[in-house]
Amino acid sequence: MSQQGYVAAPPYSQSQPGIGGFSAGFGPPNSSLHYGHYGDPNSSYSAPQPGVLKSTVPFGSSAPAGPPPPGTHQFSQTNFQNGPSIPGQQPHRFQGPPPPSNTGPSYPPCSHQSQPAYPNTASTSPTAQLANQLNSMQINSYGPGTTPSSRMSSGHPASFQGPQPPPPAQQQMVLPPGSQVPPPANNVNGLCAQPSLPPMARQDGIPGPAPPNPNLQQLSGQPPGPGYHPQQASYGPQMAGSQLSYPGAFPGGLAQLPGPQQKKLDPDSIPSPIQVIENDKASRGGQIYATNTRGQVPPLVTTDCVIQDQGHASPRYIRCTTYCFPSSSDMAKQARIPLAAVIQPFAIVPPNETPLYVVNHGETGPIRCNRCKAYMCPFMQFIEGGRRYQCGFCNCINDVPPFFFQHLDHIGRRVDHYERPELSLGSYEYVATLDYCRNNKPPKPPAYIFMIDVSYRSINSGLVKLICDELKTLLDKLPREEQEESSAIQVGFVTYNKVLHFFNVKSSLAQPQMMVVSDVGEVFVPLLDGFLVNFQESRSVVINLLDQIPEMFADTNEGETIFAPVIQAGMEALKAAECAGKLFIFHSSLPTAEAPGKLRNRDDKKLLNTDKEKTLFQPQVNSYEALARDCVANGCCVNLFLFPNQYVDVASMGLVTMYTGGTLYKYSNFQLDADSPQFLSDLRKDIEKKTGFDAIMRVRTSTGFRATDFFGAIYMNNTTDVEMAAVDCDKAVTVEFKHDDKLNEDIGALIQCAVLYTSISGQRRLRIHNIGLNCSSQLADVYKTCETDALINFFAKSAFKAILSQPLKAVREILVNQTAHMLACYRKNCASPSAVSQLILPDAMKVLPVYMNCLLKSCVLVGRPEIPTDERAHHRQLVMSMGVADTQLFFYPQLLPIHSLDLKSDAVPAAVRCSEERLSEGGAFLLANGLSMFLWLGVSTPPELIQGIFNVPSFAHISTEAQTSLPVLDNPFSKKVKSILEHIQSRKPYTMKLIIVKQREQPEMLFRQFLVEDKSIYGGASYVDFLCCVHKEICQLLS
């Protein structure tokens, strides 16, 4: 955006009447603001009174006078206009109450006529009336060099399609006479009332406040909607009966609004996530991305490209919320952009990229800095002819060990720079020495123990037989190192109901032997020799056992189960064998039998939306935390496959899984025919995953900042060591950083993540990932290099951690407040001077509001009786260990129009936005979010398309009841749809069960929850309403 020449007023970063300037940190300099920190006692959050401005810090203190610093350069921004726009001048205030806004505010127009700045009832000339009935709005195209030529009314933006060159005349959008914007919803949890800010009249480019428009004012006495009382907004100065828009559904919709035919605003006019994704694919897809520059922003997670490691870790391993850190903590507090990295240390690398090199220094082990213990990496600077090196993290000067010495070339770089991975690459592995092993002994290969619930329900449903049959083939596919012929992993088997049954499957036996442990209070392992075996050696005995188990318990009538003793038994077995490993537990009901870890049904809908709601996410007994700690200490990871048909207290049962780096799979109301493919696919994927066992991770940083907080499927005994009994390719740890000094712009901010682990072959290794970020004293640089997908990953995890200790309402408010703060700070410090009423979004964050709204509407943060507590606890647990690509899809699902498939090309059709408006009756759409997958069929779907996919003649013939997969048909359309399903599935850790949804039938309600840009049936604003809400917050911060 160029500076606007016609604004004859000082830039708004100065303190001015009418726009209260504010101090650098949106508050006093010493305010203990923790950006992104929820659970912190110091976070100066207190529950405000209704109708009082709610925010975590005081605003309105004056800012230093003077123009913005010369370095605040402009870069692409999106810019909306709304409300009074004269810098330095208060709009006239009208005495008396504002017009009633029970059905939402009416939007007075922007008029190009000269009008008095107060209500003039005499002014009823046709021209004036016409002007009064036009609402024009506009958003600047993305990109520098645009000047606002018209303004936009109340937060509903106007049209911009992608990165076209800015047109000479701005696109405008005019609402037809009498049109109104549908008001936002009404709900008790309201976070934001619809902003009703005066728009502006313009005369020859000079802004001025517009008169209120009598023609469009709400009729007083109009009821707000059946069964709803006007409610007080919990944000901002009170409006008479203003309605809340967060969360909740708007009762009755447009029909209640008075006046002529209503027209909705064009949703194409607000930033589109799909457009952002497609633009990035167009500009960076299919290319080679070389990591040779510090602080460069990688392609989005949704863009396919080939990554070449040239000195910084691939974005597959590390993504950051911003690739340029603010140089001081004051700057960081001012922007409140969380400084975080999402680290996925074992991420899968596609076949066309180089796998990690393994460096082996023999007995001496890895070379490390004497002071800070950082590992040798490209950030070390060799000096004195190569005899010494300066550590890039702590600046300590170290001697180079004689065996590692090499001469330097004419630019001071070692001659062998490109021959050594640890000098030229961002990621590599070291073979660890015995100093890095437990008890200084080389580790044994890990073991997998399969623990099967054989209670009445599991046997009766056919589940036990299904698991045993599958294991016969699956055990041949245990993971192994590339060069090995067979897997080194050992296997063991346990079954249980109220007691435990251990099996001896030693290769020398003719028949497996069973040993029963009935004292579940003090679990012990009844046998050592023959419990854990090599599958290839004991194949016949193991197959024999798997054939016998379903028959052995066929007549059981034992309905009760234990759970904690099962984990305890598995852990004790691994401990006795002195190896790390994974437990695969297949369990179906609440563990109610008398034993440690016994649980009761405590699901209580009355706790929803109260301060006690958080207890639903906490374990109901303490014993599970202690058990988790023991498991981590012994390198025992717990994978849990749950098959509940009622409440099973996932918050308690899943705790050990979460702390040990395991995965929780949940198949509610499991039906053998319908759900087996999904479960078996999950089991296969999990068993075959490349995993690091008995892992410990340490994140080191250069001077001036440090890692302060860690989120993920991890356990922490102290403040620095991230312990994981196992870590697989899909698990990510999100790390937050804070300043403890000023950062040097020349050196930048350097991060090294080191993971010490045992490989699947039993080798102790160190996996090192290094990344260098820039530092700047200009906020514009920080905003320019933000990555919205990583920000949402951070916000989701920090919010989901916070709900364990804070009311959900407070957590939601902090998220809204944080969004507004980040955007207000950009607006104040980086954007060109413009009306306060304009909504301006930094280019790199233009879809932050839509993603943030998706997070606020997720079932974890919305307490509604219709949503099962277990479902919320399960989603919370899954998200805590997700990487950036998985949270991106989870919060903003992919919606593909498959009726527009081009059978001649390999391309997948471009996705459309997640909104009902994008569906068409004559279309078929595929929606996927990483956990669920839907095929939605419009009532007028062409018969040839239905024939091609389902092999039935018409829409009416499709059965949605039993169908969870598409028939295998020999036609190009069916094959293409199948290949798209497989392509989407192949990239995601969980198998998505396909649900077929016919338009206007009952299951459509479930599908609609995933149309995240619309109002949610469970409460939650539409994208447009949320944008207004955030804009209102920003205006309050800036005033």
Side-chain angles (χ1 to χ4, degrees):
M1 246 176 80
S2 58
Q3 305 283 331
Q4 295 139 8
Y6 64 77
V7 181
Y12 56 75
S13 54
Q14 301 175 14
S15 181
Q16 303 158 10
I19 302 175
F22 43 5
S23 74
F26 292 92
N30 58 354
S31 68
S32 59
L33 262 186
H34 299 295
Y35 37 102
H37 245 307
Y38 300 54
D40 205 296
N42 318 340
S43 69
S44 63
Y45 170 82
S46 61
Q49 304 304 313
V52 175
L53 175 67
K54 193 170 281 187
S55 90
T56 47
V57 270
F59 312 109
S61 41
S62 65
T72 53
H73 54 273
Q74 257 50 55
F75 48 89
S76 317
Q77 28 188 37
T78 309
N79 146 348
F80 306 144
Q81 161 73 22
N82 179 351
S85 76
I86 303 185
Q89 178 191 324
Q90 286 263 78
H92 292 263
R93 295 274 179 248
F94 307 114
Q95 296 308 313
S101 55
N102 287 345
T103 38
S106 323
Y107 297 98
C110 297
S111 151
H112 285 261
Q113 277 207 321
S114 174
Q115 293 180 330
Y118 46 83
N120 178 351
T121 43
S123 155
T124 49
S125 68
T127 343
Q129 283 183 356
L130 181 65
N132 273 357
Q133 290 173 352
L134 284 178
N135 240 333
S136 69
M137 20 187 337
Q138 155 270 331
I139 293 187
N140 282 354
S141 316
Y142 306 153
T146 57
T147 51
S149 65
S150 94
R151 294 285 187 255
M152 174 186 148
S153 113
S154 265
H156 291 274
S159 124
F160 42 73
Q161 275 89 18
Q164 307 152 329
Q170 286 300 318
Q171 296 162 325
Q172 291 198 6
M173 196 170 106
V174 179
L175 291 181
S179 69
Q180 289 186 328
V181 180
N186 162 333
N187 192 288
V188 197
N189 301 342
L191 278 189
C192 28
Q194 178 88 338
S196 123
L197 299 158
M200 21 161 316
R202 293 184 60 251
Q203 177 192 358
D204 303 324
I206 299 168
N213 181 342
N215 303 347
L216 291 185
Q217 271 179 22
Q218 172 61 52
L219 305 173
S220 55
Q222 179 78 10
Y228 281 76
H229 301 294
Q231 309 226 345
Q232 302 262 300
S234 46
Y235 261 87
Q238 197 44 54
M239 318 237 304
S242 67
Q243 285 197 343
L244 304 174
S245 67
Y246 210 101
F250 171 59
L254 292 176
Q256 301 171 354
L257 296 178
Q261 174 67 43
Q262 307 300 333
K263 289 218 180 144
K264 277 183 125 178
L265 287 174
D266 177 10
D268 286 328
S269 62
I270 48 182
S272 156
I274 301 301
Q275 194 68 59
V276 169
I277 289 168
E278 291 302 323
N279 293 349
D280 197 68
K281 280 181 181 168
S283 61
R284 306 180 81 169
Q287 300 177 10
I288 289 180
Y289 171 75
T291 66
N292 52 6
T293 315
R294 188 182 79 195
Q296 66 182 344
V297 182
L300 296 179
V301 281
T302 40
T303 300
D304 274 330
C305 59
V306 178
I307 295 164
Q308 225 173 50
D309 185 341
Q310 294 188 6
H312 296 270
S314 155
R316 298 190 198 285
Y317 297 122
I318 303 184
R319 284 186 173 268
C320 299
T321 51
T322 174
Y323 293 85
C324 177
F325 277 13
S327 53
S328 70
S329 67
D330 285 348
M331 243 179 103
K333 282 177 186 161
Q334 184 179 356
R336 286 176 71 179
I337 294 171
L339 307 178
V342 185
I343 304 172
Q344 201 163 333
F346 284 80
I348 293 174
V349 172
N352 58 353
E353 291 176 20
T354 320
L356 295 193
Y357 288 98
V358 180
V359 179
N360 191 346
H361 287 324
E363 303 265 308
T364 53
I367 298 169
R368 305 177 68 175
C369 168
N370 290 329
R371 183 195 290 161
C372 71
K373 299 291 183 254
Y375 294 86
M376 178 55 68
C377 69
F379 305 145
M380 305 298 189
Q381 186 70 45
F382 289 89
I383 52 175
E384 295 178 24
R387 286 190 301 279
R388 307 177 87 183
Y389 69 92
Q390 181 169 22
C391 172
F393 296 92
C394 69
N395 302 325
C396 172
I397 303 217
N398 298 271
D399 290 330
V400 172
F403 81 90
F404 196 66
F405 173 78
Q406 186 54 271
H407 294 286
L408 306 184
D409 63 12
H410 64 288
I411 56 168
R413 193 161 58 189
R414 282 174 55 125
V415 180
D416 62 354
H417 178 84
Y418 290 107
E419 291 154 36
R420 290 194 176 272
E422 70 271 40
L423 300 182
S424 56
L425 299 179
S427 300
Y428 43 88
E429 293 203 313
Y430 279 118
V431 175
T433 55
L434 289 179
D435 305 343
Y436 293 88
C437 303
R438 272 182 201 272
N439 311 326
N440 289 17
K441 288 200 309 204
K444 294 181 183 170
Y448 284 1
I449 303 178
F450 299 92
M451 315 185 85
I452 305 167
D453 166 1
V454 289
S455 63
Y456 176 78
R457 241 198 86 217
S458 302
I459 292 284
N460 221 27
S461 64
L463 181 60
V464 173
K465 183 167 179 4
L466 180 74
I467 293 166
C468 293
D469 288 348
E470 180 62 27
L471 286 177
K472 290 178 209 171
T473 52
L474 206 45
L475 291 173
D476 277 322
K477 297 182 183 154
L478 293 172
R480 56 186 171 84
E481 298 286 358
E482 267 83 21
Q483 66 278 9
E484 290 180 359
E485 291 203 358
S486 67
S487 174
I489 291 173
Q490 294 196 297
V491 295
F493 303 88
V494 173
T495 58
Y496 65 93
N497 38 44
K498 276 170 92 163
V499 295
L500 292 149
H501 320 107
F502 286 77
F503 294 94
N504 183 346
V505 283
K506 200 173 178 178
S507 56
S508 56
L509 295 173
Q511 284 280 340
Q513 296 172 346
M514 178 166 99
M515 298 189 176
V516 179
V517 175
S518 52
D519 180 4
V520 291
E522 293 290 327
V523 176
F524 67 98
V525 181
L527 76 162
L528 289 179
D529 191 26
F531 177 63
L532 292 178
V533 296
N534 179 304
F535 174 64
Q536 300 307 339
E537 291 170 12
S538 293
R539 173 186 288 272
S540 61
V541 193
V542 170
I543 299 287
N544 195 334
L545 170 68
L546 294 171
D547 284 335
Q548 287 182 29
I549 286 175
E551 295 163 16
M552 207 184 302
F553 299 100
D555 302 327
T556 185
N557 53 9
E558 183 51 75
E560 286 196 309
T561 55
I562 54 176
F563 181 65
V566 181
I567 298 176
Q568 182 85 32
M571 182 195 69
E572 296 290 351
L574 292 175
K575 189 174 172 181
E578 295 183 339
C579 68
K582 262 188 194 180
L583 311 182
F584 290 81
I585 303 181
F586 305 92
H587 189 91
S588 61
S589 57
L590 195 68
T592 51
E594 240 2 280
K598 172 185 174 178
L599 299 174
R600 60 185 171 77
N601 185 338
R602 53 149 183 181
D603 193 15
D604 185 358
K605 301 293 184 199
K606 292 200 285 293
L607 298 181
L608 298 182
N609 300 312
T610 69
D611 283 357
K612 288 193 175 163
E613 185 171 3
K614 56 179 179 269
T615 59
L616 296 174
F617 295 103
Q618 299 163 357
Q620 58 169 287
V621 289
N622 294 334
S623 53
Y624 284 102
E625 282 199 45
L627 185 56
R629 189 171 56 242
D630 291 347
C631 284
V632 173
N634 290 290
C636 168
C637 167
V638 179
N639 269 355
L640 181 55
F641 294 80
L642 276 176
F643 304 88
N645 57 7
Q646 55 192 26
Y647 177 75
V648 288
D649 199 351
V650 168
S652 299
M653 293 188 71
L655 190 79
V656 180
T657 300
M658 176 131 149
Y659 277 153
T660 58
T663 309
L664 174 60
Y665 299 92
K666 181 166 156 288
Y667 311 92
S668 299
N669 303 312
F670 181 81
Q671 301 290 322
L672 205 60
D673 301 337
D675 301 310
S676 296
Q678 182 191 11
F679 157 57
L680 295 178
S681 165
D682 279 337
L683 179 58
R684 283 170 205 145
K685 272 191 192 174
D686 201 301
I687 281 185
E688 294 171 27
K689 269 181 192 178
K690 283 284 167 68
T691 304
F693 296 89
D694 199 9
I696 187 159
M697 178 171 108
R698 176 72 73 89
V699 177
R700 293 180 172 83
T701 56
S702 51
T703 51
F705 73 112
R706 63 196 162 84
T708 56
D709 246 314
F710 300 85
F711 308 93
I714 55 174
Y715 183 77
M716 298 199 67
N717 245 335
N718 54 35
T719 54
T720 52
D721 295 328
V722 177
E723 296 181 60
M724 296 169 281
V727 52
D728 64 43
C729 52
D730 300 311
K731 299 286 183 290
V733 180
T734 301
V735 184
E736 188 180 11
F737 302 99
K738 294 274 169 67
H739 288 74
D740 44 23
D741 204 350
K742 235 177 142 47
L743 299 179
N744 180 324
E745 293 191 35
D746 299 333
I747 297 168
L750 309 180
I751 298 168
Q752 182 179 80
C753 161
V755 184
L756 174 64
Y757 72 99
T758 301
S759 72
I760 43 179
S761 60
Q763 189 180 39
R764 201 72 176 144
R765 288 193 189 166
L766 281 149
R767 181 169 284 218
I768 314 290
H769 296 297
N770 305 285
I771 190 168
L773 309 177
N774 287 334
C775 296
S776 174
S777 55
Q778 302 297 330
L779 278 169
D781 294 335
V782 180
Y783 280 95
K784 198 189 306 186
T785 59
C786 279
E787 185 179 317
T788 300
D789 295 326
L791 278 167
I792 288 299
N793 180 283
F794 171 83
F795 282 128
K797 290 185 182 185
S798 47
F800 286 7
K801 185 176 179 179
I803 62 172
L804 294 176
S805 54
Q806 284 183 267
L808 268 78
K809 185 165 185 257
V811 173
R812 287 196 301 263
E813 279 164 4
I814 290 167
L815 288 172
V816 176
N817 188 268
Q818 178 102 4
T819 309
H821 260 283
M822 295 190 312
L823 299 175
C825 174
Y826 172 79
R827 166 60 191 270
K828 174 173 183 255
N829 297 288
C830 310
S832 315
S834 62
V836 176
S837 50
Q838 244 171 331
L839 174 54
I840 299 180
L841 300 171
D843 196 52
M845 281 188 187
K846 60 184 173 233
V847 291
L848 181 71
V850 64
Y851 283 169
M852 188 60 93
N853 190 36
C854 297
L855 166 57
L856 286 161
K857 290 198 284 193
S858 72
C859 72
V860 182
L861 294 182
V862 175
R864 289 292 293 253
E866 304 92 326
I867 308 172
T869 306
D870 275 345
E871 195 68 6
R872 299 173 70 198
H874 182 220
H875 282 194
R876 176 185 171 271
Q877 182 158 336
L878 294 184
V879 169
M880 285 307 285
S881 64
M882 278 185 184
V884 178
D886 292 341
T887 48
Q888 190 278 331
L889 186 67
F890 180 73
F891 290 114
Y892 196 93
Q894 192 174 20
L895 184 60
L896 302 174
I898 59 169
H899 52 274
S900 55
L901 275 180
D902 179 1
L903 298 176
K904 295 186 186 68
S905 91
D906 287 338
V908 174
V912 295
R913 292 170 67 166
C914 281
S915 168
E916 197 180 337
E917 294 181 351
R918 310 289 156 168
L919 304 176
S920 54
E921 293 198 348
F925 292 81
L926 185 68
L927 183 142
N929 77 338
L931 294 185
S932 309
M933 191 182 267
F934 296 88
L935 178 56
W936 181 91
L937 301 161
V939 285
S940 320
T941 310
E944 58 274 20
L945 190 145
I946 288 172
Q947 184 72 47
I949 302 179
F950 295 98
N951 204 21
V952 296
S954 73
F955 182 80
H957 289 80
I958 299 170
S959 150
T960 56
E961 285 307 302
Q963 207 150 8
T964 54
S965 62
L966 300 179
V968 179
L969 303 175
D970 192 15
N971 70 63
F973 199 86
S974 175
K975 287 177 177 168
K976 182 75 201 256
V977 171
K978 283 267 192 199
S979 80
I980 290 174
L981 291 177
E982 280 159 21
H983 175 72
I984 294 174
Q985 188 57 75
S986 67
R987 303 163 151 236
K988 292 296 149 201
Y990 303 99
T991 307
M992 295 173 262
K993 176 175 153 185
L994 181 68
I995 298 169
I996 292 158
V997 173
K998 292 164 77 173
Q999 187 179 4
R1000 298 179 195 152
E1001 290 192 6
Q1002 183 56 37
E1004 204 185 12
M1005 289 298 280
L1006 183 62
F1007 169 75
R1008 281 173 190 240
Q1009 295 172 39
F1010 296 90
L1011 300 176
V1012 290
E1013 289 198 21
D1014 301 338
K1015 280 200 171 77
S1016 158
I1017 56 169
Y1018 291 136
S1022 68
Y1023 174 20
V1024 171
D1025 286 348
F1026 182 68
L1027 209 53
C1028 297
C1029 164
V1030 168
H1031 181 39
K1032 178 165 184 245
E1033 286 280 287
I1034 293 169
C1035 290
Q1036 288 186 350
L1037 292 176
L1038 291 172
S1039 59

